[in-house]
Amino acid sequence: MTGNVSIKNIVDAGLCIGCGLCEALAADVSMKKNRQGSLRPYPLDGFTREEEKLCTMVCPGIHIKPSNTASPPTDAVWGHYLNMQYAWAKNETTRHIGSTGGVLTALGQYLIKSGTVDFIYHVKADDKNPLDSKACISETTAQVLAGAGSRYAPVAPLAALDTALNRNQPFAVIAKPCDLSAIENLSVKDKRINQLIRYRLTMVCGGQSTAQKAETVLKNADIPESQVTLYRHRGHGNPGPTRIETNDGRAIELTYQALWADEVGWSLESRCKLCADALGECADIAAADVWPGGSPTGEDEGFNGVVVRTEAGQHLIEQATKAGFITLGRTISIARFNDFQPHQLEKKQALKWRFLGLKQTGAPEINAPYSRLNELGQQFPEAKRQQEADGARSRFGHHNFTDESS
Ligand SMILES: Cc1cc2nc3c(=O)[nH]c(=O)nc-3n(C[C@H](O)[C@H](O)[C@H](O)COP(=O)(O)OP(=O)(O)OC[C@H]3O[C@@H](n4cnc5c(N)ncnc54)[C@H](O)[C@@H]3O)c2cc1C
Ligand code: SF4
Ligand code: SF4
């Protein structure tokens, strides 16, 4: 417990993202799926006093921190960066299988192949239950490729972070921005993080869906979960279809546009509505989609936009390009990147007002001191500010997000 805040407070308030750090740091706590289809630490009274103190200090649900706090922001929305440009995996298979252009996978493959790190810590589909995903350690380029593709369903990427650190070998992490915030928070307490984690790579993130998203897709397709042998969210093209295969030989595919057409059906984690670092200021490099207007109009060969945030990230992308793992394209201006990510821009400007609504519910406060939310909040249209605050107050004030029956 930090101050008056406990993990139960965080979970009850809807601020847990299910990152899994609670499982890594507390001996008798593990991540379990609740009835709403979210992974949450369980049991909530399973922490020792010391464990809970540490978990509440590092929880990314309430503490958001970029990895580089020393450099001034280049832009109020995008934070500090050195470079923004198009990039994609040079290897055609990696580019095709990857979620967008395979940049994150290609960087991971370069780091292994060059011997810079011993393994990549990231996530992949769970072989035993293809709807689920799990943290994994990849030691070969083929293993890194097996984790390619975005997993929109619940996953606790940090649940095995202790196992990765205990190997005492240099490694790189690929994970969502909130997962990397947790790692940055923990680095203050666990010195091994900065010694062993050589690179932190992330994706621009619009939010993590609960299991209800995939369950609805299966229900609509009349496929029982027990028959699913493959559930691929995207990749194998850009964006690539969502593909489901069954044990009786059926395969169905849905286009990205059909899957995400209606935001109401996204089943996002509640905490994602309050995300102050969806653009990955916590990483050396953040990779994104680059669709004009923010949505794909069809399939293409796969193009990422990369936001290089640190000297280490710049060095990595240059070396990976030189070694033939990455192809670099044109520079991307802020105006252009804003056009690729209109929902992110609007969310970031609305956050000050959402945080105001959250505060009125008595929920734990979210600390995001480096996110420029006051400045950005002033750019948000005055007429819509109250609506954002009311929306957050109603969403977080009248709902208990804990499901003890999990
Ligand atoms: C939940 C989610 C929401 C996203 N929303 C947006 C968005 O709004 N705008 C946008 O531009 N891009 C978004 N993306 C990013 C986009 O889908 C691609 O991940 C990004 O462009 C990198 O593409 P890539 O081809 O380089 O990735 P790949 O080469 O396919 O590599 C993806 C890597 O990410 C890891 N990974 C996949 N899913 C998860 C997960 N759930 N948690 C932790 N690690 C994971 C994999 O293990 C793999 O190493 C989102 C991704 C996710 C996972
Ligand atoms: S977000 Fe992570 S650290 Fe915070 S309560 Fe949830 S599992 Fe624990
Ligand atoms: S939107 Fe933010 S809080 Fe939600 S999963 Fe993405 S990085 Fe994490």
Side-chain angles (χ1 to χ4, degrees):
M1 187 174 284
T2 305
N4 289 327
V5 177
S6 65
I7 292 294
K8 184 172 177 349
N9 294 149
I10 295 168
V11 172
D12 282 351
L15 301 179
C16 170
I17 319 159
C19 78
L21 202 54
C22 283
E23 177 170 322
L25 300 179
D28 294 326
V29 172
S30 55
M31 301 304 289
K32 277 196 170 187
K33 215 183 278 172
N34 67 13
R35 241 190 335 229
Q36 289 77 34
S38 299
L39 287 168
R40 295 290 177 259
Y42 184 85
L44 289 172
D45 60 1
F47 298 84
T48 65
R49 216 180 152 71
E50 279 310 302
E51 285 169 347
E52 186 150 24
K53 190 173 168 199
L54 179 58
C55 287
T56 52
M57 277 176 72
V58 300
C59 171
I62 57 167
H63 303 290
I64 301 165
K65 198 175 172 204
S67 54
N68 177 358
T69 53
S71 307
T74 318
D75 175 75
V77 172
W78 289 90
H80 177 75
Y81 67 85
L82 301 171
N83 187 23
M84 287 174 167
Q85 73 188 112
Y86 288 94
W88 54 92
K90 190 158 189 178
N91 179 286
E92 284 304 321
T93 304
T94 303
R95 187 180 187 186
H96 180 69
I97 290 178
S99 183
T100 302
V103 152
L104 294 177
T105 299
L107 290 172
Q109 290 177 317
Y110 164 73
L111 287 169
I112 296 276
K113 197 76 178 174
S114 61
T116 312
V117 300
D118 285 352
F119 63 91
I120 306 296
Y121 182 74
H122 61 146
V123 309
K124 63 174 189 174
D126 186 344
D127 296 335
K128 291 195 191 103
N129 188 354
L131 251 69
D132 290 342
S133 311
K134 60 176 189 184
C136 67
I137 284 171
S138 292
E139 295 175 299
T140 65
T141 53
Q143 288 169 351
V144 180
L145 185 63
S150 290
R151 303 294 296 169
Y152 291 119
V155 53
L158 304 184
L161 186 66
D162 51 336
T163 309
L165 289 168
N166 286 342
R167 288 172 66 130
N168 203 23
Q169 294 170 313
F171 65 105
V173 181
I174 305 176
K176 296 185 300 301
C178 52
D179 304 320
L180 295 188
S181 254
I183 286 177
E184 176 61 22
N185 296 335
L186 186 61
S187 70
V188 176
K189 290 283 166 192
D190 189 335
K191 299 298 170 210
R192 294 175 302 169
I193 287 192
N194 286 334
Q195 284 160 12
L196 298 176
I197 302 182
R198 299 291 155 85
Y199 292 97
R200 304 176 196 183
L201 306 176
T202 198
M203 63 288 294
V204 162
C205 180
Q208 181 75 59
S209 293
T210 70
Q212 286 175 355
K213 173 75 185 163
E215 284 162 11
T216 307
V217 170
L218 289 183
K219 200 171 159 205
N220 291 343
D222 202 19
I223 296 175
E225 197 177 322
S226 57
Q227 290 185 0
V228 176
T229 53
L230 173 97
Y231 195 106
R232 186 194 301 138
H233 297 257
R234 62 178 278 194
H236 290 246
N238 180 36
T242 292
R243 183 178 170 91
I244 301 153
E245 293 177 9
T246 63
N247 56 11
D248 58 1
R250 277 181 295 160
I252 66 152
E253 291 191 345
L254 285 96
T255 64
Y256 182 91
Q257 292 90 324
L259 199 72
W260 301 103
D262 178 10
E263 194 175 345
V264 178
W266 288 12
S267 305
L268 285 192
E269 289 288 350
S270 53
R271 168 60 177 71
C272 297
K273 301 277 180 190
L274 301 167
C275 185
D277 187 25
L279 301 176
E281 291 181 50
C282 50
D284 294 302
I285 297 174
D289 290 314
V290 284
W291 298 308
S295 304
T297 48
E299 289 287 323
D300 64 36
E301 309 96 294
F303 301 92
N304 287 101
V306 290
V307 185
V308 181
R309 297 196 174 277
T310 63
E311 297 287 348
Q314 186 63 40
H315 182 70
L316 169 59
I317 204 143
E318 281 167 10
Q319 293 304 111
T321 304
K322 214 183 268 179
F325 283 77
I326 297 285
T327 304
L328 289 176
R330 277 176 297 135
T331 297
I332 303 175
S333 67
I334 289 178
R336 195 138 175 79
F337 234 131
N338 284 344
D339 177 52
F340 297 151
Q341 304 289 336
H343 51 298
Q344 298 287 8
L345 187 69
E346 181 166 342
K347 179 156 95 174
K348 209 137 184 190
Q349 291 171 339
L351 276 184
K352 174 186 163 75
W353 311 105
R354 293 186 188 177
F355 277 32
L356 202 68
L358 179 76
K359 195 171 182 179
Q360 290 163 356
T361 68
E365 277 188 42
I366 299 176
N367 306 305
Y370 300 97
S371 300
R372 308 164 299 280
L373 299 188
N374 280 333
E375 180 187 348
L376 288 165
Q378 295 314 318
Q379 296 168 14
F380 194 68
E382 232 173 312
K384 287 163 71 181
R385 293 174 185 175
Q386 193 60 45
Q387 192 186 325
E388 292 293 334
D390 292 346
R393 192 172 54 243
S394 136
R395 171 178 274 263
F396 291 91
H398 302 299
H399 197 91
N400 186 327
F401 291 87
T402 304
D403 177 3
E404 295 292 353
S405 68
S406 59

